[in-house]
Amino acid sequence: MTRRLLVTGGIGFVGGRLVEHLRAAEPGLEIALGTRDPGRPRPPWTQPHRSVGLDLGDAGALARAVRGFDAIIHLAGLDEADSKRDPVAAVEVNTLGTYRLLRAAVGRVERFVYVSTIHVYGESLAAGRPVTEETPTRPWHPYAITRRAAEAFVPAFRVGEGLRSLVLRVSNGYGRPMDPGIARWSLLVNDLCRQAVRTGRLVLATSGRQSRDFVSLHDVARAVHHLLFGVPDSWGDGLFNVGGECSMTVLEMARRVGDVFERVSGRAAEVATADLSPAESPQLPFRYSIDKLKATGFALEGRMDEEIEGCLRIAGA
């Protein structure tokens, strides 16, 4: 039974909401937040949880840091922008750092959950066919490449070392960050919410015709909780897509944000797009299958407007 949990990246965009959900859903659970700088001032919402220093480049320090925990949820790593800026660092942190953490967990931690990304499917996302866990992974961006490489180590430790492990490929998460200081305002919905609050306009850098699957952070947190605490012995091969069964174009999402903004503020927000460029081809709507996850008993709740409204509030804070 998981009673002591370490969440790496627990102060971040997805991690913060996950910690919030787990704290409410599992009152007796001790949650620690893994961070590169445990002495750094933390936002008030993190105060119930202790910080654990995690240097993903130091195998010995990781072995000491993970001792005493029943499970690890691993979200920490370089984001898309930092991975593109420094692919070598992305390999070091996202891939080798995950390997070192897995190695440290062997013999010390019972369960390991690695939160990966839909982007490991890469070019397969534009193929116009349903994307399942059996769809070939064809990543092209350094972020997705290094995440996919990290994924490969997770089942290797399950088979070779007996570590109960899980990989979750999360689609485009959206929703309320825990505080304004979380540096993920470049994400689509976050950016649109901040634009609406600051300027009353929603400006897209593209035509907005790209199709994406969107999943609320509420459902991401619920899915992790379901797998780790609800069905901990029903992981099968340890790989699950986590999506929202919600295929929308970027333009449709911008209009949805605009509608919620108008409802809560009483002000209309103009949506502006760029022209369709010769290098841009509209993507067909696609299905990001979570049938495998639903077969374990999980059901989505969505709450899109609630999440957008929460994001608008934080953007205006």
Side-chain angles (χ1 to χ4, degrees):
M1 178 181 294
T2 298
R3 293 288 85 185
R4 296 174 300 277
L5 175 66
L6 174 63
V7 182
T8 78
I11 304 178
F13 178 54
V14 177
R17 288 292 301 279
L18 175 58
V19 168
E20 177 190 51
H21 179 85
L22 292 174
R23 184 170 62 197
E26 300 290 333
L29 181 65
E30 176 190 333
I31 305 174
L33 309 177
T35 175
R36 286 173 293 181
D37 185 6
R40 180 181 176 183
R42 296 190 294 158
W45 66 267
T46 67
Q47 296 311 311
H49 311 290
R50 67 185 176 97
S51 291
V52 174
L54 280 182
D55 180 354
L56 292 174
D58 187 334
L62 287 175
R64 293 188 293 273
V66 305
R67 189 173 288 114
F69 291 102
D70 302 309
I72 296 172
I73 300 176
H74 182 36
L75 298 107
L78 298 190
D79 63 18
E80 300 91 336
D82 288 339
S83 295
K84 184 176 182 179
R85 186 162 39 248
D86 192 343
V88 174
V91 172
E92 175 62 33
V93 176
N94 295 349
T95 303
L96 297 179
T98 299
Y99 171 83
R100 295 186 190 101
L101 189 60
L102 284 159
R103 174 55 63 192
V106 172
R108 300 179 178 90
V109 177
E110 183 178 359
R111 297 181 186 275
F112 190 103
V113 179
Y114 179 58
V115 181
S116 188
T117 171
I118 187 176
H119 298 296
V120 300
Y121 291 110
E123 294 178 346
S124 293
L125 295 174
R129 294 185 291 273
V131 176
T132 73
E133 290 82 356
E134 296 182 359
T135 297
T137 53
R138 293 172 178 157
W140 57 269
H141 191 285
Y143 171 74
I145 292 168
T146 53
R147 287 286 186 174
R148 179 64 186 92
E151 281 187 11
F153 285 118
V154 178
F157 275 83
R158 184 183 70 251
V159 175
E161 303 287 352
L163 179 64
R164 298 182 181 180
S165 57
L166 189 62
V167 172
L168 306 180
R169 292 174 176 165
V170 178
S171 70
N172 298 281
Y174 67 90
R176 166 181 57 86
M178 289 299 292
D179 65 81
I182 292 176
R184 295 298 278 151
W185 292 103
S186 61
L187 295 173
L188 176 66
V189 176
N190 299 39
D191 176 51
L192 291 170
C193 287
R194 188 162 64 169
Q195 285 190 58
V197 169
R198 290 185 174 182
T199 70
R201 298 182 74 233
L202 306 179
V203 180
L204 299 177
T206 68
S207 69
R209 300 187 193 183
Q210 312 95 316
S211 292
R212 298 182 183 178
D213 178 89
F214 293 95
V215 60
S216 68
L217 292 188
H218 171 72
D219 277 332
V220 173
R222 289 180 59 249
V224 175
H225 175 251
H226 168 74
L227 289 165
L228 185 56
F229 291 91
V231 290
D233 299 316
S234 300
W235 291 359
D237 64 358
L239 175 62
F240 292 91
N241 288 344
V242 179
E245 295 189 323
C246 178
S247 180
M248 299 172 65
T249 66
V250 170
L251 179 57
E252 287 170 336
M253 178 57 82
R255 289 170 174 161
R256 186 70 169 261
V257 171
D259 289 344
V260 176
F261 174 73
E262 183 173 3
R263 176 168 54 79
V264 300
S265 71
R267 295 183 289 140
E270 175 193 358
V271 177
T273 68
D275 293 332
L276 185 66
S277 71
E280 181 189 0
S281 58
Q283 292 181 6
L284 297 172
F286 70 96
R287 177 172 177 259
Y288 191 59
S289 173
I290 62 166
D291 290 352
K292 192 174 171 184
L293 175 60
K294 291 195 297 182
T296 68
F298 180 76
L300 292 165
E301 291 184 356
R303 301 190 183 183
M304 178 175 285
D305 288 359
E306 179 182 321
E307 287 284 10
I308 293 173
E309 186 173 339
C311 192
L312 286 166
R313 286 198 305 270
I314 295 293

